[in-house]
Amino acid sequence: MSSSVVFVEKWPVLGRHGKAAEWLQVWSDLGRAARTIDAYGRGLSEFLIVCEREGVDPLTAGRADVAVFVRELTERPHRRGANVASIDSGAGLSNATIQQRLVPVRLFFGFLVEEGLRESNPVGRGRFVPGRHHGGTRRGLVPRFTKLPWIPDEQQWRDVLAVAADEPIRNRVMLALAYDAALRRAELCSLRTDDVDPGRRMLRVRAEVTKNRRERTVPYSAPTGVLLTGYLARRATISRARGPLFLSESRRNHGEPLTLWTWSKVVRRIALAAGVERFSTHTTRHLCLTDLARMGWELHAIATFAGHRNTDTTLQYIHLSDRDLADKLAKGMDHIHAWRVAMLTGAEATGTAK
């Protein structure tokens, strides 16, 4: 079955708009990850549905029509309830989700411009503009909010570890590797037996499973190495075949590769049991990178370790660590305090105090 047929089956609205299906097929042929294609297909199909409802031809839609789509996203109830929605935006989808939905719409209009079917793209994106107010950034269609990643405090982390201590060895080693090597969920669940070098305590994170398609090699700690050795012995009782490192032990999927969703459920269960509901599969990565910043690692070293293409992303963890701010504040306040005290005592000494 061709991928275009699969697209139409999954998102029937694409079948009613040939250029939309053609655009998504191009991205699929270019080798974009399945999850990226899924996000593109979902976002564009939602826009096309709004266009059909409003009686708008997507090929000629303007900025006002895109604005209607944005309004629909901001007013849409969150699937997890009003309380979750209010954390980010007060109503509807979060700012990050709205940005994600707009990406395929912008790319689709860019495709139409390249094909000569439009003259301009109604979905603007923020970009640097030299000379504008002495150099600055022109805002995109929807302002982008940048928030620092959430990390647990020491007590919350201890609570999570206390619950995790009773987990099977597979779950414990996965949690340890996720923290030690700052692994994303997909990177962790995609590890294979030949990605592990126990002798040097190193992991190879293959390019095809990373977010930006850049391979990297990262270390893990000696305690994690002990856990991993124990897990490998356990894994040998399930399967001696080389391949995916982490295997399911359930009756239904015994010996099958552990899925992303199963790992998410494991972490969610641990988080709820520990009373730290904000803890997720990505929290260990945030915490590791913040700890590296706290230890004084340089920006580019942290970026290389994390596999960040842009150091702007890495800077979030530098800021979150408060590595330099506290020292600078203390030194600055000491100086100011000493100056104020000197002024006060000097005033009293000369008898000019009032």
Side-chain angles (χ1 to χ4, degrees), residues 230-266:
Y231 170 69
L232 291 175
R234 170 66 181 172
R235 183 188 183 281
T237 66
I238 303 171
S239 172
R240 293 186 174 274
R242 300 181 68 82
L245 179 60
F246 299 114
L247 303 178
S248 171
E249 297 186 34
S250 69
R251 292 182 179 180
R252 186 174 60 180
N253 300 309
H254 192 78
E256 293 296 318
L258 193 75
T259 66
L260 302 177
W261 318 118
T262 299
W263 176 236
S264 292
K265 290 178 181 178
V266 168

Side-chain angles (χ1 to χ4, degrees), residues 187-199:
E187 295 170 348
L188 176 67
C189 294
S190 299
L191 285 174
R192 299 177 60 84
T193 53
D194 53 357
D195 292 332
V196 182
D197 184 350

Side-chain angles (χ1 to χ4, degrees), residues 174-215:
M174 289 183 72
L175 196 61
L177 284 175
Y179 170 75
D180 264 4
L183 298 177
R184 301 179 179 95
R185 181 183 64 164
E187 295 170 348
L188 176 67
C189 294
S190 299
L191 285 174
R192 299 177 60 84
T193 53
D194 53 357
D195 292 332
V196 182
D197 184 350
R200 296 190 303 137
R201 294 204 308 270
M202 300 291 287
L203 292 176
R204 179 172 67 102
V205 186
R206 287 169 285 116
E208 60 268 26
V209 302
T210 64
K211 187 176 181 179
N212 54 19
R213 296 298 186 264
R214 303 181 77 177
E215 185 170 306

Side-chain angles (χ1 to χ4, degrees), residues 59-210:
L59 299 186
T60 59
R63 178 160 293 203
D65 302 310
V66 177
V68 172
F69 176 54
V70 171
R71 184 188 64 195
E72 195 272 339
L73 293 176
T74 58
E75 295 176 351
R76 178 186 303 175
H78 196 284
R79 62 185 176 85
R80 291 184 181 175
N83 290 335
V84 175
S86 64
I87 290 175
D88 291 316
S89 59
L93 302 181
S94 70
N95 178 265
T97 303
I98 292 173
Q99 299 286 351
Q100 184 187 60
R101 294 293 194 273
L102 283 175
V103 167
V105 179
R106 174 173 54 80
L107 293 176
F108 174 60
F109 280 123
F111 168 75
L112 296 179
V113 171
E114 292 176 354
E115 293 289 302
L117 300 176
R118 292 182 62 95
E119 292 185 356
S120 62
N121 189 332
V123 186
R125 63 182 302 175
R127 63 184 185 277
F128 180 76
V129 183
R132 183 174 180 266
H133 301 298
H134 306 291
T137 301
R138 178 172 295 166
R139 196 178 78 174
L141 189 64
V142 175
R144 183 181 296 274
F145 303 153
T146 301
K147 300 186 299 180
L148 291 177
W150 176 83
I151 59 171
D153 59 31
E154 286 299 314
Q155 187 56 53
Q156 290 172 323
W157 179 234
R158 290 178 183 275
D159 292 341
V160 169
L161 293 180
V163 173
D166 296 327
E167 288 289 310
I169 191 169
R170 183 202 66 193
N171 297 346
R172 283 183 284 143
V173 76
M174 289 183 72
L175 196 61
L177 284 175
Y179 170 75
D180 264 4
L183 298 177
R184 301 179 179 95
R185 181 183 64 164
E187 295 170 348
L188 176 67
C189 294
S190 299
L191 285 174
R192 299 177 60 84
T193 53
D194 53 357
D195 292 332
V196 182
D197 184 350
R200 296 190 303 137
R201 294 204 308 270
M202 300 291 287
L203 292 176
R204 179 172 67 102
V205 186
R206 287 169 285 116
E208 60 268 26
V209 302
T210 64

Side-chain angles (χ1 to χ4, degrees), residues 343-354:
M343 291 294 291
L344 288 171
T345 55
E348 291 178 354
T350 58
T352 57
K354 296 182 180 180

